[in-house]
Amino acid sequence: ALRLSYLSGGGQDPAILAQLLHLQAEATALENGAVGPRRGRRAAKPPGTRGLDAALLAMELENRRLEDELLALKVRRERRANAGSQVARQHAAELAHLQAEVGMLRCHMERMGRWLPP
């Protein structure tokens, strides 16, 4: 939630994103450790599963890193789209203003043309 809040707020600092990812990995490791049997006793794991757990955690961290990257790209794309639409609105407003000025100048010229000698 903290990482998503940071990204949606416009955060893009890779160092902070790395720290958030590290904190999330620590929290996941703590949660996985707290899930075991109570009173400090843990069920014995079959040999070779420790490497699988580490590989699974590494894969999960990589997936989360990629999700963060995707979210950051989406946020940047939305910002660019918003900036582009703002520029388009400004250009449309300027165009309307210039067209109104041209119309006023034409009217002015038509009125003045009546008063000019041939």
Side-chain angles (χ1 to χ4, degrees):
L2 182 62
R3 183 184 78 242
L4 292 176
S5 175
Y6 176 73
L7 288 171
S8 65
Q12 298 179 14
D13 187 354
I16 292 175
L17 287 172
Q19 285 177 336
L20 290 172
L21 190 61
H22 179 71
L23 288 173
Q24 189 172 7
E26 283 184 34
T28 302
L30 288 173
E31 285 175 357
N32 289 340
V35 173
R38 294 184 182 174
R39 297 185 190 157
R41 292 181 295 163
R42 290 193 174 170
K45 291 185 178 183
T49 59
R50 185 173 184 158
L52 291 176
D53 288 343
L56 181 63
L57 183 60
M59 184 66 71
E60 186 176 332
L61 290 175
E62 179 66 12
N63 283 344
R64 288 184 183 172
R65 186 190 66 78
L66 291 172
E67 286 173 358
D68 289 344
E69 239 179 89
L70 282 173
L71 184 60
L73 288 171
K74 286 179 184 178
V75 168
R76 274 189 251 145
R77 182 176 57 192
E78 287 175 9
R79 283 188 182 159
R80 274 192 235 124
N82 289 340
S85 65
Q86 287 175 349
V87 169
R89 282 193 297 261
Q90 288 173 346
H91 285 163
E94 288 177 23
L95 179 61
H97 180 72
L98 290 172
Q99 287 174 338
E101 280 188 41
V102 167
M104 288 180 5
L105 288 172
R106 279 190 183 142
C107 288
H108 184 67
M109 288 300 295
E110 288 174 2
R111 278 192 238 141
M112 291 302 288
R114 294 181 191 161
W115 298 103
L116 292 176

